[in-house]
Amino acid sequence: MTKRALITGVTGQDGAYLAQLLLGEGYEVHGVVRRSSHSGVDDHRLRWLGVADSVRLHDGDMGDLSSLVRIVQETKPDEIYNLAAQSFVASSWRQPILTANITAVGVANMLEAMRIAAPQARFYQASSSEMYGLIQQPMQNEKTPFYPRSPYAVAKLYGHWITVNYRESFGMHASSGILFNHESPLRGEEFVTRKVTTGVARIKLGLARELRLGNIDAKRDWGHARDYVRAMWLMLQQEKPDDYVVATGVTTTVRDMCRIAFDHVGLDMETHLVIDPAFYRPAEVEVLLGDSTKARAKLGWSPKIALGELIREMVEADLARLKRGEGR
Ligand code: GDP
């Protein structure tokens, strides 16, 4: 029997990599998309990975319960991956209510749709290391107390706990993956790694002179999205649902990550980097460092791609894109 998966946020970075992985595992893959009258569906990430024609898209919205119920009824999924969110921390201060409606209440909508229309399905919730915020332990694991520092993180905390609660209340197979930052050439350009790699590529090609960043002392535990979607899938293959931290166990400053990108193209970082307070945040998460011992032991998961390789892949992809005339 072919397994069926339903992915929300399928047109995002993780959705695209997960769709590719599941298709490779023989799944029938369905995705929820918001269609807009002027631009249609933005499936450029699915195209980039060569899977756009294999994923079946359904019109829906995380804020619209009836659309989610209908999609679950029609697709009868074995597994539901809830990756849809307003996921950019900085804009969550500018759109806190929208962030709550989609990133928090949207999770309850998806869980309700599953409870109504496919209660036997397995559910994955995309939780986030941002929930640790003002860190309470030097390395964060599943038992570390949370201390969210942005409207985004507060919303993700609701999503995490409503997932745990539905598991405990209704016996649903619902798992929460607490994923640390994960990047790729498909990362949105507002996130710092991609902002750096596209910025460095522009400078290298003479399309820009400087790169403006905010707090470059912040430290993150960065992994590759391709590695991290494998952990999502593994969680739903377990007999019992549970929560797992997914991280590399290495933390790096924005400054050092940036230096990798400049070094790769043979440019001097100090000449081109400008610190711009406009990119400082009202409250900052200074450092994150994940302890993924549990995922390594129970899922047999480990990351394969280290930060240097990741950043170089992203710079190369941005150089190639710009040389083709895209995104100039
Ligand atoms: P986040 O961890 O989900 O917020 O991922 P981001 O990639 O957006 O930000 C990671 C860190 O980089 C945060 O601590 C930011 O404050 C820091 N940072 C410094 N300069 C910038 C910038 O220009 N853009 C972004 N997005 N982050 C920046």
Side-chain angles (χ1 to χ4, degrees):
M1 273 280 278
T2 305
K3 276 198 190 176
R4 280 185 301 273
L6 177 64
I7 304 174
T8 72
V10 73
T11 55
Q13 168 188 266
D14 292 7
Y17 279 109
L18 179 64
Q20 187 187 45
L21 173 99
L22 295 175
L23 288 166
E25 294 291 336
Y27 281 69
E28 183 180 303
V29 177
H30 298 265
V32 181
V33 290
R34 261 178 312 160
R35 199 174 292 275
S36 82
S37 53
H38 53 278
S39 59
V41 172
D42 172 16
D43 64 353
H44 78 272
R45 293 185 175 87
L46 294 168
R47 298 215 163 275
W48 202 79
L49 291 175
V51 297
D53 296 333
S54 311
V55 177
R56 304 172 197 203
L57 302 178
H58 304 264
D59 293 354
D61 190 295
M62 296 309 293
D64 177 10
L65 173 64
S66 70
S67 71
L68 300 179
V69 171
R70 180 179 47 74
I71 292 168
V72 174
Q73 273 169 348
E74 284 175 7
T75 58
K76 298 185 179 57
D78 300 290
E79 298 173 8
I80 298 174
Y81 295 87
N82 188 45
L83 312 185
Q86 189 302 99
S87 66
F88 185 41
V89 170
S91 47
S92 75
W93 279 282
R94 297 188 283 269
Q95 297 187 296
I97 312 299
L98 173 111
T99 302
N101 285 338
I102 303 307
T103 306
V105 179
V107 186
N109 282 333
M110 195 65 241
L111 282 164
E112 276 297 285
M114 172 166 144
R115 191 158 75 98
I116 292 165
Q120 300 308 318
R122 297 183 172 193
F123 183 84
Y124 172 85
Q125 168 59 15
S127 289
S128 164
S129 58
E130 289 290 319
M131 300 190 306
Y132 296 117
L134 188 64
I135 55 165
Q136 303 293 298
Q137 288 172 349
M139 273 192 102
Q140 299 86 52
N141 63 25
E142 295 79 6
K143 300 224 167 358
T144 304
F146 299 119
Y147 193 131
R149 292 274 278 172
S150 62
Y152 165 79
V154 172
K156 277 288 177 187
L157 210 49
Y158 176 88
H160 172 72
W161 283 117
I162 197 72
T163 300
V164 173
N165 182 261
Y166 269 51
R167 177 169 78 220
E168 295 176 354
S169 302
F170 305 119
M172 287 164 65
H173 195 297
S175 292
S176 173
I178 305 172
L179 271 52
F180 282 61
N181 297 54
H182 44 287
E183 320 292 314
S184 75
L186 298 181
R187 191 60 144 145
E189 287 186 30
E190 64 273 34
F191 294 89
V192 75
T193 53
R194 185 73 203 294
K195 183 174 172 183
V196 165
T197 63
T198 189
V200 165
R202 280 171 181 282
I203 296 169
K204 180 67 183 176
L205 297 178
L207 300 168
R209 298 170 68 99
E210 59 180 33
L211 171 64
R212 303 181 86 84
L213 295 179
N215 174 20
I216 60 172
D217 294 316
K219 297 175 90 172
R220 289 292 183 278
D221 179 333
W222 280 294
H224 198 302
R226 191 188 292 283
D227 278 337
Y228 285 37
V229 298
R230 198 157 23 83
M232 300 176 184
W233 175 66
L234 286 169
M235 283 176 218
L236 298 205
Q237 309 319 303
Q238 306 306 303
E239 196 186 325
K240 287 209 177 89
D242 206 341
D243 308 320
Y244 297 90
V245 161
V246 177
T248 70
V250 177
T251 192
T252 308
T253 58
V254 171
R255 178 189 283 106
D256 288 345
M257 176 274 292
C258 194
R259 189 170 285 120
I260 295 171
F262 276 105
D263 284 354
H264 180 61
V265 297
L267 287 173
D268 177 40
M269 180 171 87
E270 319 303 331
T271 314
H272 301 283
L273 182 58
V274 178
I275 301 304
D276 185 343
F279 296 108
Y280 291 166
R281 294 172 177 185
E284 177 63 290
V285 174
E286 294 294 346
V287 53
L288 292 171
L289 175 59
D291 170 6
S292 58
T293 304
K294 180 176 170 182
R296 289 169 198 250
K298 297 208 166 164
L299 305 178
W301 176 86
S302 64
K304 308 267 181 276
I305 306 161
L307 182 62
E309 192 184 332
L310 164 65
I311 295 298
R312 288 189 287 274
E313 178 191 339
M314 291 173 67
V315 173
E316 287 300 325
D318 279 320
L319 284 169
R321 235 185 299 241
L322 289 165
K323 283 178 190 162
R324 285 197 303 269
E326 290 168 34
R328 286 186 177 227

